[in-house]
Amino acid sequence: MTKTHSDYRLSQLDQLEAESIHIFREVAAEFEKPVLMFSGGKDSIVMLRLAEKAFYPAKIPFPVLQVDTGLDFPEVLETRDRWVSRLGVKLVVASIDDAIASGVVVDDGKTSRNRLQIGTLLNAIEENGFTAAFGGGRRDEEKARAKERVYSHRDEFGQWDPKNQRPELWSLYNGRLHEGEHMRIFPISNWTELDIWDYIGREGIEIPSIYFSHQRSVFERDGMLMTETPLNPLRDGEVAAERTVRFRTCGDITLTGCVESTASNIPEIIEEVAAARLTERGATRGDDRFSEAAMEDRKKEGYF
Amino acid sequence: MSTATETNAPDVTTGMDLLRFATAGSVDDGKSTLIGRLLFDSKSIFADQLESVEATSSAKGHDYVDLSLLTDGLRSEREQGITIDVAYRYFATPNRKFIIADTPGHVQYTRNMVTGASTADLGLVLVDARNGLTEQSRRHAVLLSLLRVPHLVLCINKMDLVDYSQEVYERIHDEFTQFATKLSIPDLEVIPISALAGDNVVERSTNMDWYSGPTLMHHLEHVHVASDRDLVDVRFPVQYVVRPKSDEHHDYRGYAGQVAGGVLKPGDEVVVLPSGMTSKIAGIDLYDSEVDEAYPPMSVTVRLEDDVDVSRGDMIARVKNAPTPSQDIDAMICWMAPGTLKPRQKLAIKHTTRTGRALVKDIQYRLDVNTLHRDQDTKELGLNEIGRVQLRTTVPLLCDPYSKNRTTGSFILIDEATGVTVGAGMING
Ligand SMILES: Nc1nc2c(ncn2[C@@H]2O[C@H](COP(=O)(O)OP(=O)(O)O)[C@@H](O)[C@H]2O)c(=O)[nH]1
Ligand SMILES: [Mg+2]
């Protein structure tokens, strides 16, 4: 038997874990058809781990949904597949290419894949009749998220109405929905980036290798280091070179930048994160840098 | 392939404990500046956040960096320049992580403040030293006391604008202490600060030698919250029944939930409510290992020795110490929706993991949160109003007085037509 603390103290990481597990169980008990949105990134891996713990020794009682942008890092997809097969959960893939082919979203050549994700995701939620979708958003990530509820209501169009959020008190979550509406659930709302790394280290769980320092052919664009790939052709004046880098977030390979780093294990990453001067999104996400309200706008439309 | 398994990470944050606190203050008392300073001085602000705030400040023509922009998140709030919803902020010092619920001060946002205070261990009320206690600061203290936030800090801000005067501090201090005798505030600290200049926020002020108490940060780091939980009365609301039905765990049946009170141990004789069936705890599981005790706020799975019928909404308690199931509820309710709460109204109610319907039998009085006056003539509650209400529920609630247990003593009311959370209740007794 594991001995618990003799003074009945619970560390903050254990408290966060307990809170998240509580949320998973509430949702599984109260919603007809939940789904976990899994990007393969570190936050969604932590979510999956928490879900695993919440229902153990039973299997996770809902499927995992991934939006396949066609521009995902191969390392991320490999990690995803290993997690899915270890846990024996069902994987639903919603592909942007399929969505374009079937006319669910329109690729006008100007809209980024990131935006096409929104329509693809909402369509997958509707088609499958999912009533609750777990997302790995954290409130420390961004200003608009700082005010979002754990249970975040979406109307029939999948939209978030930040001015009309339901009050959320104690740990009493309100999951009432009307036909066609769904709930986004953010079980790791109160975790910070450092908590996530700490937990990954403590749990010893697998994350995609791109989070660790490696050699990569990269080029500079808008002050960020981008992966050289045929999916993202070099523009005039851009030159690719081998650098020692790692990623702080996993997203669309054409938009997600990396940072120069020699951090090759969790303690080194934690050290780096603790000393970092840029938020993970500000540093490496082209999609969030366009305006101060970029995230708020995308969230209203139904972004994760 | 690199995996985390290969390494042995140091527990940077694992050993830390957690303090959740809610802040309240009237507009312009300096709340956003104070929070900005706490984040800034604890190095929780990143360069890109600071740059974006600097850029916005200078675009607005300010000659200083407006740290309040760090917390005023939603676009409409930035446009109106006020905080209208609860925003959650995070920072950490080497021994503690802090979650701030930053709540708006206006009377029309009482519900937001109630929301932020519901989970807080500590409430921080800010007043402007030049104005002293206002109706708003009294209301903030009343709400924090009603929500049973166990620790309260009154920060007397802008001391730089009153020449760091001891006399001003003492006058506000005494006035507040006197007012607080009418409330339930187990622990009070009154700290003179300047959020803008930094006096007594993180660094001890050299301008107020007459003050010998702690700085705000020192107090936040050291205030003792572990004993605020009820570790005596076992309360385990069942959330979910775990039944793997796999070959490996064929006969496994566990009751998953988060401990709301007391310490559970294997071998304990327990009663399952409302059925009243008794059994013994066979084991307590936390993922793939067994623990020899479970206490708040752990999320665990409890197994019982006997095959009793247990489902979501039931509660596991000790045989000789269990709440009495009751369908008649006497509570303080904060009404959070447009429209009014009236007698004979029917609503959905959620209490721990139990959901039912509730009928409003009577509204005994409306509480004036500024004066504590009980208005017995008004038989309804409007938006942001608080009153004492009698309810009759369709299912028995397994509850305790809110003053004893904030988890088993609280509930929410939901409008059955719109699905919106319209009320927050705290059970009397
Ligand atoms: N002199 C002085 N001004 C302050 C202090 N704290 C805040 N202020 C100013 O008071 C104004 C209102 O502050 P703000 O933080 O936005 O208040 P909030 O409405 O409570 O969030 C701003 O102009 C601040 O610069 C202080 O300690 N001393
Ligand atoms: Mg403010």
Side-chain angles (χ1 to χ4, degrees):
Chain A
M1 275 199 201
T2 313
K3 190 106 185 97
T4 45
H5 308 251
S6 57
D7 58 350
Y8 303 120
R9 274 188 30 169
L10 209 57
S11 76
Q12 73 101 11
L13 205 54
D14 286 329
Q15 289 191 47
L16 290 176
E17 180 188 65
E19 175 181 270
S20 303
I21 288 176
H22 171 83
I23 294 164
F24 274 111
R25 290 168 173 170
E26 272 311 276
V27 173
E30 290 200 318
F31 286 86
E32 236 164 87
K33 235 186 147 186
V35 67
L36 186 148
M37 298 191 286
F38 188 71
S39 68
K42 65 183 193 313
D43 298 323
S44 63
I45 283 176
V46 166
M47 273 209 298
L48 203 50
R49 173 63 165 182
L50 291 162
E52 176 188 3
K53 288 194 170 190
F55 305 103
Y56 189 87
K59 278 188 184 162
I60 296 174
F62 40 77
V64 156
L65 171 69
Q66 201 219 358
V67 178
D68 175 9
T69 60
L71 300 172
D72 298 299
F73 289 90
E75 296 90 337
V76 173
L77 298 179
E78 285 161 24
T79 304
R80 173 199 73 185
D81 291 342
R82 272 193 295 272
W83 269 92
V84 163
S85 83
R86 182 174 73 76
L87 297 178
V89 296
K90 188 180 157 209
L91 174 69
V92 180
V93 176
S95 133
I96 292 188
D97 286 326
D98 292 350
I100 293 171
S102 61
V104 167
V105 295
V106 181
D107 183 12
D108 57 8
K110 284 181 285 197
T111 314
S112 82
R113 288 250 151 184
N114 210 306
R115 273 190 180 271
L116 296 178
Q117 267 187 73
I118 301 173
T120 310
L121 171 71
L122 291 177
N123 181 63
I125 288 177
E126 195 173 319
E127 259 184 4
N128 290 279
F130 293 129
T131 51
F134 293 101
R138 308 191 318 266
R139 289 178 178 147
D140 79 323
E141 270 179 281
E142 208 272 337
K143 276 198 277 195
R145 286 209 178 172
K147 307 208 165 182
E148 188 156 12
R149 306 292 187 254
V150 171
Y151 275 36
S152 189
H153 181 264
R154 299 299 144 106
D155 66 15
E156 311 92 296
F157 302 99
Q159 299 179 104
W160 180 52
D161 182 0
K163 281 211 245 179
N164 237 329
Q165 300 191 81
R166 294 176 179 177
E168 196 162 77
L169 299 107
W170 298 289
S171 46
L172 290 170
Y173 300 103
N174 171 3
R176 300 269 167 147
L177 292 174
H178 290 115
E179 188 70 32
E181 298 174 344
H182 75 276
M183 202 71 85
R184 292 293 165 84
I185 314 279
F186 298 103
I188 56 168
S189 285
N190 286 325
W191 296 55
T192 63
E193 187 183 8
L194 209 50
D195 295 328
I196 294 288
W197 283 114
D198 226 351
Y199 194 69
I200 291 169
R202 178 180 104 171
E203 299 290 304
I205 48 181
E206 186 197 339
I207 55 170
S209 57
I210 63 169
Y211 282 115
F212 300 97
S213 178
H214 59 281
Q215 293 290 115
R216 181 173 291 259
S217 177
V218 295
F219 62 92
E220 211 170 300
R221 179 176 293 169
D222 303 329
M224 293 188 295
L225 292 179
M226 311 300 295
T227 299
E228 188 198 16
T229 156
L231 298 169
N232 195 15
L234 292 180
R235 297 178 190 156
D236 276 352
E238 291 175 341
V239 268
E242 272 302 287
R243 304 255 197 117
T244 307
V245 299
R246 66 173 206 89
F247 287 83
R248 283 178 73 188
T249 66
C250 285
D252 175 331
I253 199 167
T254 65
L255 285 171
T256 307
C258 49
V259 290
E260 285 196 89
S261 168
T262 55
S264 56
N265 55 41
I266 304 281
E268 287 172 10
I269 290 176
I270 289 176
E271 211 171 291
E272 197 184 275
V273 170
R277 292 196 61 254
L278 295 178
T279 59
E280 58 186 29
R281 288 195 167 264
T284 59
R285 289 296 279 264
D287 34 336
D288 286 334
R289 306 205 327 168
F290 300 125
S291 87
E292 231 212 311
M295 176 74 114
E296 186 179 336
D297 289 340
R298 281 185 302 133
K299 282 182 72 69
K300 280 186 192 165
E301 285 176 39
Y303 184 69
F304 302 96
Chain B
M1 185 199 71
S2 311
T3 70
T5 337
E6 295 162 9
T7 65
N8 225 336
D11 283 350
V12 172
T13 60
T14 14
M16 289 184 185
D17 72 357
L18 182 64
L19 182 85
R20 296 177 199 248
F21 69 96
T23 56
S26 309
V27 178
D28 286 344
D29 283 348
K31 193 158 55 73
S32 303
T33 310
L34 176 63
I35 292 173
R37 175 156 296 282
L38 287 170
L39 299 179
F40 189 72
D41 286 356
S42 63
K43 303 193 171 54
S44 310
I45 294 175
F46 293 102
D48 54 333
Q49 290 173 313
L50 195 61
E51 272 158 27
S52 126
V53 163
E54 279 168 352
T56 316
S57 299
S58 66
K60 285 187 168 177
H62 297 329
D63 52 6
Y64 58 94
V65 178
D66 187 353
L67 289 177
S68 69
L69 292 169
L70 281 167
T71 59
D72 296 344
L74 301 178
R75 176 175 280 178
S76 54
E77 289 175 319
R78 284 196 299 278
E79 282 159 5
Q80 295 170 34
I82 48 158
T83 316
I84 54 170
D85 203 339
V86 188
Y88 294 89
R89 304 281 149 203
Y90 304 83
F91 71 98
T93 59
N95 298 315
R96 211 167 232 188
K97 173 172 161 177
F98 301 90
I99 302 182
I100 315 176
D102 181 12
T103 69
H106 277 137
V107 65
Q108 65 264 41
Y109 302 122
T110 296
R111 62 176 195 152
N112 305 83
M113 183 166 164
V114 166
T115 300
S118 72
T119 51
D121 305 304
L122 180 145
L124 194 158
V125 175
L126 211 61
V127 299
D128 185 325
R130 294 171 303 175
N131 308 333
L133 285 194
T134 58
E135 189 177 274
Q136 298 228 40
S137 21
R138 288 197 187 85
R139 178 164 39 81
H140 297 151
V142 168
L143 292 175
L144 290 167
S145 147
L146 205 64
L147 271 292
R148 299 276 168 177
V149 178
H151 308 272
L152 194 147
V153 180
L154 178 70
C155 278
I156 305 179
N157 189 31
K158 308 199 186 181
M159 288 300 291
D160 55 309
L161 298 180
V162 295
D163 292 328
Y164 297 104
S165 154
Q166 178 173 10
E167 201 195 311
V168 169
Y169 169 80
E170 272 166 9
R171 196 182 63 233
I172 301 172
H173 177 287
D174 293 348
E175 199 188 335
F176 189 81
T177 336
Q178 209 187 337
F179 176 70
T181 55
K182 296 189 230 168
L183 307 173
S184 149
I185 298 173
D187 172 40
L188 170 69
E189 197 70 52
V190 185
I191 308 178
I193 63 164
S194 168
L196 198 65
D199 298 82
N200 287 337
V201 178
V202 175
E203 301 292 334
R204 174 158 287 282
S205 171
T206 52
N207 298 308
M208 293 179 272
D209 292 337
W210 47 264
Y211 173 75
S212 57
T215 63
L216 175 60
M217 187 69 105
H218 185 274
H219 184 60
L220 293 175
E221 280 190 286
H222 293 94
V223 62
H224 188 66
V225 291
S227 53
D228 295 337
R229 293 162 302 165
D230 177 357
L231 293 171
V232 176
D233 309 293
V234 169
R235 301 289 186 264
F236 186 76
V238 176
Q239 258 194 300
Y240 190 89
V241 180
V242 179
R243 294 224 58 187
K245 294 182 197 140
S246 60
D247 291 344
E248 196 188 341
H249 304 280
H250 190 73
D251 295 321
Y252 188 96
R253 189 181 176 92
Y255 307 107
Q258 188 166 21
V259 184
V263 180
L264 289 88
K265 296 190 181 78
D268 282 353
E269 289 205 42
V270 292
V271 58
V272 179
L273 298 171
S275 73
M277 307 272 273
T278 58
S279 183
K280 267 189 185 172
I281 296 182
I284 303 172
D285 298 330
L286 205 161
Y287 184 45
D288 61 357
S289 59
E290 281 191 54
V291 290
D292 53 18
E293 45 195 12
Y295 46 88
M298 288 170 71
S299 279
V300 294
T301 303
V302 172
R303 283 176 285 110
L304 299 181
E305 281 184 3
D306 307 282
D307 203 4
V308 290
D309 185 29
V310 185
S311 52
R312 174 175 167 84
D314 291 353
M315 182 180 286
I316 295 174
R318 296 303 301 273
V319 175
K320 293 209 177 79
N321 176 353
T324 321
S326 172
Q327 284 174 261
D328 290 299
I329 306 297
D330 171 20
M332 297 304 292
I333 288 179
C334 175
W335 187 248
M336 308 185 129
T340 51
L341 179 72
K342 293 191 196 78
R344 286 186 306 284
Q345 206 161 318
K346 291 189 186 105
L347 297 145
I349 185 168
K350 185 171 181 186
H351 170 263
T352 65
T353 55
R354 204 157 241 262
T355 310
R357 300 180 75 209
L359 169 74
V360 181
K361 298 206 39 193
D362 186 28
I363 298 180
Q364 246 174 291
Y365 59 79
R366 186 174 67 188
L367 185 73
D368 183 327
V369 284
N370 298 317
T371 61
L372 293 177
H373 174 72
R374 296 171 177 188
D375 174 5
Q376 291 174 335
D377 300 329
T378 322
K379 287 289 172 197
E380 52 182 52
L381 296 179
L383 175 64
N384 289 311
E385 291 184 340
I386 294 172
R388 184 163 181 179
V389 178
Q390 263 68 50
L391 300 173
R392 172 81 186 169
T393 56
T394 52
V395 292
L397 301 189
L398 312 162
C399 56
D400 294 293
Y402 186 71
S403 56
K404 266 188 76 188
N405 189 316
R406 288 168 85 189
T407 307
T408 55
S410 56
F411 59 83
I412 54 170
L413 296 171
I414 299 166
D415 182 306
E416 296 192 291
T418 62
V420 171
T421 305
V422 289
M426 290 147 281
I427 296 165
N428 292 319

